[in-house]
Amino acid sequence: MNLNSPLFDRIRTRREAKTEPSPARGTVCSHPGCQAPGEFRAPMGRLREGQYFCFCLDHVKEYNATYNYFNGMSDEDVLRYQKDAVIGHRPTWKMGANRAGVASAGMQDPFHMQGAKAGKSRTPKHGVVARKALHVLGLDDEARPAEIKGRYKEMVKRLHPDANGGDRSNEDKLREIINAYNVLRSSRAV
Ligand SMILES: [Zn+2]
């Protein structure tokens, strides 16, 4: 937005004329050498809040176009004021290019999220269903096909009724193992 556009001057002039009490009758324009009626008030600026110039229309427009609240402040003061305005004018460290650079470098990874991301967490070798099946077989999440096959054969042999003198008490467990192995086969873990 161009703050110096004539349109903006007009809007601002109108708003100020509306919201602020009019200067007393007979007030002359504050602009040096101007004798026109000072009908429009304009704030004097920082440290003179509540004080106003009274300008004619032409000069209030000119004043508004060049009005700078931060007149008389150094660039550093302006930066500090603007930053303080954002954080509520609390005293804090001094604003400066170098200091800001250091601060932002420290903020790049405040919770060491990147380390966590780059570190331990890998994509699991097997999906959730296959991992459950591995746990049924008493295997860990990273079990390899040969390991799975070996464990399956071993458990079937141990739980099968033929290996237990016809005892069928392990039948449910055996069914669970077979189902788990079928899950691992269909998810191509074996
Ligand atoms: Zn004037």
Side-chain angles (χ1 to χ4, degrees), residues 136-138 151-152 155-156 159 172-182:
V136 169
L137 294 176
R151 176 64 57 89
Y152 174 68
M155 290 183 97
V156 168
L159 297 170
D172 286 349
K173 183 68 182 167
L174 180 61
R175 195 173 291 121
E176 200 185 346
I177 297 296
I178 293 168
N179 285 342
Y181 189 73
N182 286 336

Side-chain angles (χ1 to χ4, degrees), residues 29 31 34 36 55-56 59:
C29 177
H31 192 268
C34 181
F55 289 118
C56 67
H59 283 130

Side-chain angles (χ1 to χ4, degrees), residues 120-142:
K120 294 281 180 274
S121 85
R122 283 166 287 178
T123 307
K125 191 174 175 181
H126 303 295
V128 177
V129 175
R131 292 207 300 273
K132 270 186 186 170
L134 287 170
H135 298 164
V136 169
L137 294 176
L139 295 166
D140 66 35
D141 292 353
E142 304 296 316

Side-chain angles (χ1 to χ4, degrees), residues 4 18 25 40-41 104 189:
N4 292 324
K18 196 176 174 186
R25 273 178 187 278
F40 300 94
R41 285 162 53 120
S104 70

Side-chain angles (χ1 to χ4, degrees), residues 28-38 54-60:
V28 174
C29 177
S30 303
H31 192 268
C34 181
Q35 295 301 312
C54 298
F55 289 118
C56 67
L57 180 58
D58 284 347
H59 283 130
V60 79

Side-chain angles (χ1 to χ4, degrees), residues 40-174:
F40 300 94
R41 285 162 53 120
M44 288 185 175
R46 188 175 55 89
L47 304 181
R48 298 172 81 177
E49 280 91 352
Q51 296 181 56
Y52 298 88
F53 294 116
C54 298
F55 289 118
C56 67
L57 180 58
D58 284 347
H59 283 130
V60 79
K61 283 169 76 173
E62 185 185 303
Y63 181 81
N64 282 344
T66 58
Y67 174 69
N68 184 353
Y69 185 80
F70 298 106
N71 267 343
M73 289 172 87
S74 69
D75 287 351
E76 195 186 36
D77 287 338
V78 172
L79 277 177
R80 191 183 303 133
Y81 183 92
Q82 290 173 334
K83 190 167 74 63
D84 288 353
V86 171
I87 64 171
H89 291 279
R90 275 176 287 131
T92 180
W93 65 84
K94 201 174 173 188
M95 192 81 164
N98 285 338
R99 300 293 292 271
V102 169
S104 70
M107 287 300 289
Q108 276 172 7
D109 187 16
F111 302 113
H112 307 290
M113 298 295 282
Q114 285 166 358
K117 208 180 286 177
K120 294 281 180 274
S121 85
R122 283 166 287 178
T123 307
K125 191 174 175 181
H126 303 295
V128 177
V129 175
R131 292 207 300 273
K132 270 186 186 170
L134 287 170
H135 298 164
V136 169
L137 294 176
L139 295 166
D140 66 35
D141 292 353
E142 304 296 316
R144 296 163 181 280
E147 225 179 322
I148 297 167
K149 270 181 202 165
R151 176 64 57 89
Y152 174 68
K153 278 183 185 172
E154 178 196 319
M155 290 183 97
V156 168
K157 209 184 277 179
R158 179 148 48 98
L159 297 170
H160 201 278
D162 290 351
N164 293 287
D167 181 5
R168 305 177 80 89
S169 62
N170 288 323
E171 209 165 312
D172 286 349
K173 183 68 182 167
L174 180 61

